[in-house]
Amino acid sequence: MIQGAVTRERMRKWKLQSPEEYGFHKVAVPGREDCQAVAVYRLNLAAGQSYELRPDGEEMSCVCIKGQAAVGLAGQTCDCRRFDSFYTAGGHAARIQAGTECIFYIGAAVDEGYGKPFFRAFDRQQPLGEIRQIHGKGVGRREVFMTLNQEMPASRLITGLTWSANGAWTSWPPHQHEADLEEAYCYFDMDEPHFGLHLSYMEPGDVDNIAAHPVSSGSVVLAPRGYHPTAASPGTKNAYFWVLAAHCHESRSYDLAVLDPERAQMN
């Protein structure tokens, strides 16, 4: 867990803008940004370009946000389309050959030797279960698709995609998991004039010291400590790839969220 006093000014620096230029970009890395466990990268490829993703010392969970590519992974080649994902660890490189212009968000953490590479095709009609889930209720109801669920072996990462309802909230009631995990939210499909708000605050009920981050496509917001609910503007669905990175393998769990006791029953 990051140390020291967390002020509103410090929280404002948790919002980053991921680059749109072609190439591999380090959006957030421990030590350079205000995080210790989670890393976020973005890969932008033009049609016909290729890139070899080398997870040296890291495990990586990758999702295709835009486009189509052939992904060579662990001796197999997969047709990777929008919202398809793959995971790699153990030093296994992934060869990405873009068929069209592509955007990949990549969540990463320290590789402790637990995970094996796999590819997951996106299926929004998949029955509810370990991979496709509905969370929350009322204005906080949202759809979740796990790209790396906790039932799959991995060292520290759990990742997924979330979509809110129109003009609704996600991560509500507000929660934090700072003792065990850090999180990053990577927003997409929210081009202007659409936008949302990602809120950060430290103490239960303390909205007087909230940091409000306006978010749209390409925004990345870190949540190394504190509560972090989000809200979409009317006419907008918040859409984001979230990355949970545990501080150690033993705390890699999706069920460690601590609700803000002042708002746990509000809906």
Side-chain angles (χ1 to χ4, degrees):
M1 182 170 61
I2 61 169
Q3 302 300 310
V6 179
T7 63
R8 186 183 297 170
E9 292 304 313
R10 184 175 178 180
M11 289 188 287
R12 284 175 177 157
K13 296 178 182 178
W14 293 351
K15 179 192 170 183
L16 310 162
Q17 192 64 27
S18 59
E20 297 182 1
E21 295 79 13
Y22 291 133
F24 179 81
H25 303 280
K26 296 181 178 181
V27 182
V29 294
R32 190 186 72 182
E33 276 70 42
D34 204 8
C35 53
Q36 290 183 331
V38 69
V40 175
Y41 308 127
R42 175 169 165 167
L43 176 64
N44 304 320
L45 296 176
Q49 282 188 321
S50 63
Y51 187 82
E52 187 168 77
L53 186 66
R54 292 184 171 274
D56 296 330
E58 291 182 306
E59 56 176 351
M60 293 181 168
S61 181
C62 315
V63 62
C64 180
I65 296 301
K66 176 183 178 181
Q68 176 275 330
V71 175
L73 181 65
Q76 296 184 330
T77 299
C78 304
D79 182 20
C80 186
R81 297 183 178 271
R82 185 163 151 85
F83 302 143
D84 290 348
S85 58
F86 64 92
Y87 168 83
T88 188
H92 290 275
R95 179 77 176 181
I96 303 169
Q97 178 71 45
T100 64
E101 185 175 66
C102 290
I103 298 173
F104 286 86
Y105 276 136
I106 302 164
V110 171
D111 186 356
E112 297 183 24
Y114 290 91
K116 296 180 179 181
F118 72 89
F119 176 85
R120 176 168 291 170
F122 176 74
D123 181 3
R124 207 158 195 167
Q125 304 306 313
Q126 185 170 344
L128 297 178
E130 289 182 1
I131 297 174
R132 179 173 170 262
Q133 303 176 4
I134 300 296
H135 293 184
K137 58 184 178 179
V139 295
R141 188 178 187 273
R142 63 269 192 192
E143 183 179 7
V144 175
F145 187 88
M146 295 287 192
T147 56
L148 175 59
N149 49 308
Q150 68 178 16
E151 291 81 10
M152 296 294 291
S155 291
R156 298 192 183 191
L157 289 177
I158 304 171
T159 63
L161 298 163
T162 292
W163 293 267
S164 77
N166 181 0
W169 290 79
T170 66
S171 297
W172 189 272
H175 70 273
Q176 55 91 352
H177 33 64
E178 59 189 36
D180 301 290
L181 309 108
E182 291 181 340
E183 192 165 17
Y185 287 57
C186 310
Y187 289 86
F188 60 88
D189 283 0
M190 297 171 62
D191 296 347
E192 292 185 356
H194 299 286
F195 74 97
L197 290 174
H198 182 120
L199 308 177
S200 303
Y201 66 99
M202 288 296 104
E203 300 299 330
D206 184 15
V207 295
D208 289 337
N209 292 298
I210 245 173
H213 313 281
V215 292
S216 56
S217 294
S219 298
V220 172
V221 185
L222 301 175
R225 278 179 58 186
Y227 302 95
H228 40 274
T230 76
S233 61
T236 300
K237 293 183 178 182
N238 269 9
Y240 51 85
F241 172 58
W242 50 266
V243 182
L244 280 170
H247 293 295
C248 62
H249 177 69
E250 289 69 27
S251 61
R252 180 185 177 254
S253 175
Y254 194 63
D255 304 317
L256 297 175
V258 178
L259 300 183
D260 179 347
E262 300 291 327
R263 299 183 173 86
Q265 305 304 318
M266 294 178 66
N267 203 344

